[in-house]
Amino acid sequence: MALSRRTFSALAGSAALGIALGPSGGPGAPPAYAGGSAPTGPAPAPPRADGERHTIGYDRYSLLVDGRRLVVWSGELHPFRLPSPSLWRDVLQKMRAHGYNTVSIYVAWNYHSPAPGAYDFSGVRDLGLFLRTAAETGLYVILRPGPYINAEVDGGGFPGWLTATKGTARTDDPTYLTHVDEWLTRVNRIVRRHLYTRGTGTVLLYQIENEYDAHVREDTGRNYMSHLYAKVRADGIDVPLFHNDKGRNGYWVPGSFATGGEKGGWLYGFDGYPSPSQTPPDWGHYGPGGPTGGATASPATPGFVPEFGGGWFDPWGGAEFDGRGYAESRRTRDAAYERRFHLTNLANGITLHNVYMTFGGTSWGWLPAPVVYTSYDYGAAIDEGRNVTGKIAPMHQLGHLLQRVPDFAKLDRAADVTAEGLKVYHLTNQDTGAHVYIARNDGTEAVTTGLPTDAGEVRITVPGKDAKLLTTGLKLGERTLKYCTAAPMLCLTAGRQDIAVFAGRDGEMAELVLDCPAEPLVQRLDPEGGWAYDGGELHVNAPLGEAGLTRVLVQHGETDTPLLLLFADDATAVRLFPYDTPSGTLLVYGPALLRHVELRGSEVHLTGDLKEPTGMEVWGPRGIDTLVWNGRRLATRVTLSGSLMTTGTLPDVPEVRLPALGGWRMRRENPEADPGFDDSSWRKADKTASASTTAVPHGQPVLFADDYGFHYGDVWYRGTLTDTTGVEEVSLAYSTGTQGLLMAWLDGEPLGTHRMPVPDKRTVRKGSWAETAVLPVRERLRSPGRHVLSVLVRRMQHDQDGKGLDTHKAARGLTAVTFKGASPRVGWRLQGEGPADPVRGPMNNGGLYGEREGWHLPGFRDRDWEPASFPRAARYQGVTWYRTTFRLSVPADVDASVGLTLDDDPYRAYRAQIFLNGWNLGQYVNNVGPQHTFVLPNGILRTRGTNTLALAVLSEFTTLSGPGSVRLTLLGSASGGVPVTPV
């Protein structure tokens, strides 16, 4: 399908000129600055839906928002992996407080479309609500709606129904593009109401497709990208568009495909997931250059990494981290890893940076792709239970630095510098004269050496596998920094004084030198700090971490504006929060989290979280005299540094008590195995052709579940045989995702269970597994007349389509059935999941009998079920359901994160689907793992009320089966949190 310029123009219309003529497109709209430039200056104010028109452009250094340089410090969060909209605000506020100015999100097609032509953006799928929440939080949004997203989700985000359609996905195939256009129309109808250019939201950038390295040099690929570009522009999306190259390939740089004549509206980005054992790579200024050099592939656009690894995913069996799970991901990609790799990116000119993931969340229900289990914690800085981890320290410090110190938005490579034992990067801002040095230690032992700088040699120590940022000539308000051995974190003006924060590792000695032509008045406000004035220089020393924050106040001299120097180690720095209000900027020290600040006259109203007893200190506009924390007025005093400080400590978090789980009831199901079961309403397997990439066996009907409208969860087959005389074996060929399983019965008698192997390090990326279960038929089951062969297939998920080969269309379920010893005729019927749950969506339920009958729902009457207790040990092939209720009474002002932990003898072969209040929150596989604890998100979990827990346990006949231990686990708690609405 060739896409001529005329066709492109007809599709795009005048909206395609949005970037070139001004993003508002209206009369007198301001220019877009694309291809322009701007001097170093303050960053734009935090974004909000302000009703004003805004421009978004760029030059080779950075984005330009309303003509001001913006360094994008973004974190990835997937709303569909946190199905409790109230908690979106919680995580977004944590991101903003810890230095992020942008959130990047995928929009998953499969999550919103249960059937062709059906789209749902309500409830937990309310994209508009998420975008409003991001704007209210003060975060820009990078939107990534695919149509293909990968993301380790089922089918790479393609809806299940697309597997049964004609047309080759991720090409310019007209049938496929018809479906794509319908999807993008629905998404863009929402997105254009939240564009930052229009002042109606904060959507800053928009991605088309995802890591598309198929058909790059073919017309089908170029036409496909052109079609997507034109479609998005025609839908009124006028912010810059981009694509994320899967690696440093130089794919889809500006000019590589037709954009209908529009120029300046396209950015090149590339993804990178370097291993912690790898030397941080140079993907820009210091790299090899050229089209495979990263940022150098597009020298006229700013360096952009739409995905940089903030962790990594783990497969079934835990082969990636040797069974240690995401704790090992977080350990190997720790704060030092983040510092080393992110500072290297900064040195290489990357000013648009998105950390994948910053909050991973949960691949609940049938959402996960075959390559991952339920948890998508990712080893991210904010864990699956919404707890901020130690990895946040470098993200917090760098994020606030890049927002508050404008010099970093426009850096050029400067003269090479060497220091023994270190890799040194030297950059300079030609507008301000500031110099930046990044000293990286790739060895395992600490290195102490002299670092040559434009301010002279500076003695520094860099720990093993870590890095250090130093600056010289940096303006700190009205004064100039000569150098400091601790890294700058921020510089701001609060009231009538400048405040500069410097941070480093615990136990380090910060040595700072200020240029002071006239001797200032210096006050050491904490005993740990020391200072001396000599020859026009003020020398300040402060040990980091000895007593929290060290304060040194510098006054008079060459300026009447005081400068407050604050020195912090990592643990202290993450408790320092700048916040901009219409009345001025504040700096808050003390709480675990600052969520929001309002100035009401002389009162400062703050909301946030506490995790331990602490004091609080606030620097802000002149005239403030009262602090109100979470609605409670605090006793304060005014300090010599001009702050308001509490006279006492704020209290500890109240104890959270979790009940033991008991009162279980149980019931076995799978009546489908009974030969007398009525399957007349099931779908008849009568198709002879399929759109699947799996071949239909000659002479057999199509048995693939997707072809009959069953896309998620378990599927049952019932085959009516005319005669079993002479049948010695039945061979059941089936295809599933990772850890798929098959069970079979003949006339209600178990024939056996077959399951796919646990992936190892060679097969963790394998998305489709095909095997044949060969099951013997006992002699007493061989006879003339009608017989029923019942088969349950846990098919797991669809493969992703990373290479653009339609691999998401590989069959799921039975593929062929043959017999040894005889050839009976078989008529097949099959049944999978029922209609999509109107609240929980299409990926919540599968085809188990109990799911179809509502056994997982809170209101189901289970009084006639048999009482049960754990641990259990039974030998049974099939499904057993267990249900109980429990009540929580978490204090009203406490945010408690709760999980469900299951443990048993690892020899026992069984798996359990976990339903909380009707929500399918994951799948536990006892003898495979590695996951044992499953997060129960607040909103789904009633933290002050009654909850219904159901386990659908699928047991093999090969071993005794549990469950063993099932208990609630407290994953974290804090005083504060956000209001949570039940879902």
Side-chain angles (χ1 to χ4, degrees):
M1 177 183 171
L3 191 65
S4 68
R5 181 165 182 169
R6 176 177 296 175
T7 304
F8 187 104
S9 299
L11 178 60
S14 60
L17 301 176
I19 291 294
L21 300 180
S24 69
Y33 298 103
S37 190
T40 300
R48 58 191 179 91
D50 56 8
E52 302 291 329
R53 297 286 184 171
H54 297 279
T55 60
I56 306 170
Y58 61 86
D59 64 8
R60 68 186 179 93
Y61 293 105
S62 71
L63 285 188
L64 299 168
V65 174
D66 297 331
R68 292 186 175 189
R69 294 198 174 278
L70 175 70
V71 178
V72 172
W73 192 247
S74 173
E76 188 84 9
L77 180 163
H78 299 155
F80 51 81
R81 283 190 161 112
L82 185 57
S84 178
S86 299
L87 298 184
W88 298 343
R89 188 179 300 276
D90 173 67
V91 179
L92 291 172
Q93 288 181 344
K94 286 171 178 170
M95 290 175 61
R96 187 212 59 79
H98 288 297
Y100 295 90
N101 60 5
T102 306
V103 59
S104 172
I105 66 167
Y106 278 131
V107 188
W109 190 356
N110 56 5
Y111 192 61
H112 295 277
S113 182
Y119 294 90
D120 186 353
F121 288 92
S122 65
V124 300
R125 295 168 293 282
D126 191 338
L127 175 61
L129 174 60
F130 182 90
L131 297 178
R132 289 194 300 275
T133 305
E136 291 165 3
T137 308
L139 293 173
Y140 295 105
V141 177
I142 298 174
L143 197 94
R144 309 205 291 159
Y148 179 79
I149 63 171
N150 198 71
E152 288 76 61
V153 295
D154 182 276
F158 284 151
W161 56 261
L162 194 70
T163 64
T165 63
K166 295 181 179 179
T168 305
R170 309 188 77 189
T171 71
D172 61 351
D173 182 287
T175 301
Y176 168 68
L177 291 182
T178 297
H179 297 304
V180 165
D181 286 352
E182 186 175 78
W183 161 242
L184 291 178
T185 294
R186 299 302 183 100
V187 173
N188 293 339
R189 186 179 297 165
I190 297 168
V191 174
R192 67 172 174 253
R193 299 197 296 266
H194 298 274
L195 296 171
Y196 191 58
T197 46
R198 301 185 181 193
T200 53
T202 56
V203 175
L204 180 77
L205 301 171
Y206 183 112
Q207 178 179 306
I208 61 174
E209 250 286 344
N210 188 82
E211 295 187 333
Y212 186 52
D213 60 357
H215 316 298
V216 174
R217 295 180 176 87
E218 305 167 23
D219 285 345
T220 187
R222 289 189 289 266
N223 291 342
Y224 177 44
M225 292 294 282
S226 294
H227 180 95
L228 295 177
Y229 192 102
K231 169 60 179 169
V232 171
R233 286 289 186 239
D235 285 347
I237 307 302
D238 58 7
V239 300
L241 309 182
F242 72 96
H243 178 75
N244 57 332
D245 188 354
K246 190 173 185 178
R248 279 62 55 206
N249 305 301
Y251 295 160
W252 311 118
V253 296
S256 59
F257 64 93
T259 57
E262 177 180 299
K263 297 183 182 300
W266 180 256
L267 298 172
Y268 171 71
F270 59 92
D271 292 349
Y273 290 87
S275 164
S277 62
Q278 179 180 349
T279 299
D282 292 318
W283 289 335
H285 291 326
Y286 289 84
T292 60
T296 57
S298 180
T301 61
F304 185 7
V305 182
E307 293 182 28
F308 189 85
W312 192 247
F313 61 82
D314 199 25
W316 285 106
E320 184 66 38
F321 301 112
D322 298 321
R324 299 184 183 96
Y326 286 114
E328 183 69 1
S329 175
R330 190 168 284 108
R331 186 191 71 80
T332 55
R333 293 165 174 83
D334 60 3
Y337 166 91
E338 302 285 4
R339 199 159 31 243
R340 227 171 27 119
F341 283 77
H342 294 315
L343 286 175
T344 299
N345 284 349
L346 181 65
N348 278 276
I350 293 167
T351 59
L352 287 85
H353 198 120
N354 179 51
V355 182
Y356 189 108
M357 300 293 296
T358 292
F359 170 78
T362 306
S363 298
W364 58 281
W366 297 105
L367 185 67
V371 292
V372 291
Y373 48 86
T374 298
S375 176
Y376 200 68
D377 176 276
Y378 217 80
I382 304 174
D383 71 18
E384 187 182 2
R386 299 179 291 109
N387 299 296
V388 175
T389 72
K391 287 180 60 166
I392 206 69
M395 318 310 295
H396 181 99
Q397 294 165 30
L398 281 170
H400 288 304
L401 173 74
L402 297 175
Q403 292 184 60
R404 302 284 172 175
V405 181
D407 306 68
F408 288 86
K410 191 182 179 185
L411 294 175
D412 288 294
R413 182 172 178 174
D416 289 345
V417 170
T418 59
E420 186 176 355
L422 301 175
K423 166 74 173 179
V424 180
Y425 300 91
H426 177 204
L427 304 107
T428 187
N429 185 302
Q430 297 181 23
D431 294 342
T432 67
H435 289 255
V436 174
Y437 301 86
I438 294 168
R440 196 182 73 217
N441 182 356
D442 294 325
T444 57
E445 301 297 324
V447 170
T448 300
T449 188
L451 174 68
T453 76
D454 70 307
E457 185 171 285
V458 178
R459 194 83 174 160
I460 62 170
T461 298
V462 183
K465 297 291 183 182
D466 210 331
K468 180 165 284 194
L469 170 68
L470 290 89
T471 55
T472 64
L474 191 69
K475 294 292 288 183
L476 302 180
E478 297 296 320
R479 302 177 192 268
T480 302
L481 175 73
K482 186 171 183 180
Y483 70 84
C484 183
T485 59
M489 180 178 123
L490 59 82
C491 185
L492 54 79
T493 299
R496 295 185 181 178
Q497 70 175 347
D498 298 321
I499 303 176
V501 178
F502 293 85
R505 312 295 78 76
D506 178 46
E508 291 182 349
M509 177 66 74
E511 300 177 4
L512 177 146
V513 179
L514 276 181
D515 286 326
C516 293
E519 184 172 1
L521 173 64
V522 183
Q523 291 177 276
R524 181 178 62 179
L525 304 180
D526 294 287
E528 292 77 20
W531 64 274
Y533 180 77
D534 181 43
E537 295 179 346
L538 175 65
H539 295 251
V540 180
N541 291 345
L544 304 181
E546 283 195 7
L549 198 61
T550 300
R551 308 158 182 82
V552 176
L553 181 62
V554 183
Q555 301 180 87
H556 306 307
E558 71 274 15
T559 176
D560 290 331
T561 303
L563 172 63
L564 178 64
L565 299 170
L566 303 179
F567 298 92
D569 67 334
D570 289 340
T572 302
V574 297
R575 295 166 57 208
L576 280 162
F577 302 99
Y579 200 99
D580 296 310
T581 76
S583 301
T585 300
L586 296 92
L587 182 64
V588 178
Y589 171 55
L593 179 71
L594 179 69
R595 294 185 181 274
H596 184 67
V597 179
E598 285 185 19
L599 268 63
R600 303 175 190 171
S602 62
E603 294 185 345
V604 182
H605 290 253
L606 310 102
T607 61
D609 293 0
L610 301 174
K611 291 201 167 186
E612 60 187 4
T614 184
M616 192 171 303
E617 189 171 5
V618 176
W619 293 268
R622 289 173 62 86
I624 62 172
D625 59 17
T626 304
L627 299 184
V628 181
W629 173 255
N630 288 348
R632 174 188 169 194
R633 193 177 301 269
L634 306 178
T636 60
R637 62 182 177 86
V638 179
T639 72
L640 292 175
S641 71
S643 67
L644 278 179
M645 180 184 286
T646 54
T647 56
T649 59
L650 281 72
D652 202 352
V653 185
E655 181 182 5
V656 175
R657 296 181 179 180
L658 301 178
L661 297 177
W664 292 95
R665 291 182 174 275
M666 62 168 283
R667 182 175 177 179
R668 289 182 177 175
E669 59 143 88
N670 43 281
E672 299 94 338
D674 189 287
F677 179 81
D678 181 6
D679 61 15
S680 59
S681 64
W682 287 20
R683 290 293 306 272
K684 187 176 181 181
D686 54 5
K687 295 180 181 289
T688 57
S690 172
S692 173
T693 54
T694 302
V696 179
H698 178 70
Q700 295 203 32
V702 174
L703 295 173
F704 315 155
D706 287 296
D707 286 77
Y708 297 94
F710 306 125
H711 306 302
Y712 304 112
D714 300 289
V715 61
W716 274 96
Y717 296 84
R718 282 172 56 87
T720 301
L721 283 65
T722 56
D723 188 350
T724 59
T725 304
V727 175
E728 300 172 12
E729 294 176 345
V730 56
S731 294
L732 302 168
Y734 72 118
S735 176
T736 73
T738 307
Q739 281 302 285
L741 175 147
L742 174 149
M743 294 179 171
W745 294 258
L746 183 58
D747 295 337
E749 295 278 342
L751 294 183
T753 297
H754 185 280
R755 55 187 165 92
M756 300 297 180
V758 180
D760 56 27
K761 290 190 176 182
R762 296 174 298 104
T763 57
V764 292
R765 295 297 189 96
K766 184 176 178 179
S768 287
W769 301 70
E771 295 282 354
T772 299
V774 179
L775 305 175
V777 175
R778 291 179 287 279
E779 178 126 11
R780 60 189 176 83
L781 296 175
R782 306 174 195 169
S783 64
R786 179 183 179 272
H787 296 267
V788 176
L789 177 61
S790 301
V791 182
L792 173 63
V793 180
R794 175 149 293 180
R795 58 209 172 134
M796 305 301 278
Q797 288 82 12
H798 302 90
D799 195 3
Q800 299 179 110
D801 191 24
K803 292 296 182 183
L805 300 174
D806 264 357
T807 49
H808 65 291
K809 292 185 177 180
R812 290 295 183 262
L814 284 180
T815 55
V817 180
T818 57
F819 300 89
K820 178 182 177 182
S823 299
R825 292 193 304 275
V826 188
W828 287 101
R829 291 182 180 271
L830 67 161
Q831 175 67 54
E833 75 274 19
D837 186 309
V839 174
R840 301 166 184 90
M843 309 182 83
N844 192 70
N845 295 356
L848 294 180
Y849 182 85
E851 291 177 290
R852 303 197 309 269
E853 294 295 314
W855 293 6
H856 60 299
L857 297 174
F860 181 79
R861 296 173 64 87
D862 58 11
R863 283 184 235 170
D864 59 341
W865 286 22
E866 177 184 344
S869 61
F870 299 151
R872 282 187 60 80
R875 190 179 298 274
Y876 175 67
Q877 176 177 292
V879 185
T880 306
W881 284 76
Y882 301 89
R883 286 172 54 92
T884 190
T885 60
F886 62 91
R887 183 173 180 81
L888 295 181
S889 299
V890 176
D893 59 346
V894 171
D895 178 12
S897 179
V898 179
L900 184 75
T901 300
L902 296 89
D903 285 303
D904 206 345
D905 183 339
Y907 171 73
R908 294 181 175 174
Y910 69 92
R911 54 189 68 190
Q913 283 175 261
I914 299 165
F915 292 91
L916 177 69
N917 297 326
W919 293 79
N920 181 354
L921 293 183
Q923 183 176 185
Y924 169 73
V925 184
N926 179 67
N927 58 325
V928 174
Q931 185 175 5
H932 288 268
T933 296
F934 296 77
V935 173
L936 309 177
N938 297 349
I940 292 174
L941 179 71
R942 311 294 190 251
T943 57
R944 287 176 289 280
T946 300
N947 298 271
T948 299
L949 179 64
L951 304 177
V953 176
L954 189 58
S955 305
E956 302 178 23
F957 199 69
T958 53
T959 71
L960 295 174
S961 295
S965 169
V966 182
R967 64 189 184 277
L968 298 174
T969 304
L970 184 64
L971 304 177
S973 63
S975 294
V978 296
V980 176
T981 301
V983 292

